Amino acid sequence: MRQLIKFALVGITGFAVDVSVFTLLSFGLSLQIEWARGLAFFIAALTTWLGNRHFTFCTASSNRLVGECRKSLICAVLAGLINLTIFKAMTLYSNELLFVYFAFVCGVLVGMVLNYVLSAMWVFKVEHDVSGES
């Protein structure tokens, strides 16, 4: 349960980064919403990977960095594709400001569930040796 709470805290931070960058790019700089959404997602994915690596799963050892990074990018792409597909499909229905944010949240929530499962079971999974030590 503690790990799930930490994951949620990192996710809230990632969400704040995501929505802030999205708002800045789309409404502040008038970037097309699909481009703004993609860039904001990428920056948030990097933020949450670092947070989960050092806070949630505490596996920040230099010998696992490359493997975790590779796996994390794969997970981010999978979760991101689902996240962005939901966002795009919903914004085809309406481009009104409140609905855009509703679509944004729906995509993030579905992506978050997938990302947690993949992170816990694959990206940050601690391999144990025969003696049971990590």
Side-chain angles (χ1 to χ4, degrees):
M1 180 57 100
R2 184 175 170 179
Q3 187 178 62
L4 184 57
I5 292 169
K6 286 182 171 185
F7 187 85
L9 291 172
V10 170
I12 289 167
T13 302
F15 180 78
V17 168
D18 203 355
V19 75
S20 298
V21 172
F22 174 73
T23 299
L24 173 68
L25 294 175
S26 62
F27 298 109
L29 300 177
S30 300
L31 192 64
Q32 183 179 14
I33 63 170
E34 291 82 6
W35 281 102
R37 188 68 198 95
L39 289 170
F41 173 81
F42 179 73
I43 293 168
L46 288 176
T47 301
T48 57
W49 174 68
L50 287 171
N52 284 322
R53 176 175 169 72
H54 294 288
F55 179 65
T56 306
F57 298 101
C58 301
T59 58
S61 66
S62 60
N63 63 345
R64 295 182 51 155
L65 181 66
V66 174
E68 281 180 8
C69 186
R70 183 183 65 244
K71 289 176 181 180
S72 181
L73 288 174
I74 291 168
C75 293
V77 168
L78 291 174
L81 286 173
I82 291 170
N83 181 334
L84 296 173
T85 299
I86 290 169
F87 175 77
K88 181 59 181 173
M90 290 179 73
T91 56
L92 289 174
Y93 175 76
S94 175
N95 231 3
E96 291 183 35
L97 181 62
L98 289 177
F99 195 82
V100 167
Y101 279 100
F102 177 68
F104 184 97
V105 170
C106 289
V108 166
L109 289 175
V110 173
M112 181 188 73
V113 169
L114 177 61
N115 204 1
Y116 177 74
V117 170
L118 292 174
S119 291
M121 296 179 70
W122 187 50
V123 176
F124 299 104
K125 182 179 180 184
V126 177
E127 300 297 327
H128 297 282
D129 64 18
V130 178
S131 66
E133 298 176 16
S134 55

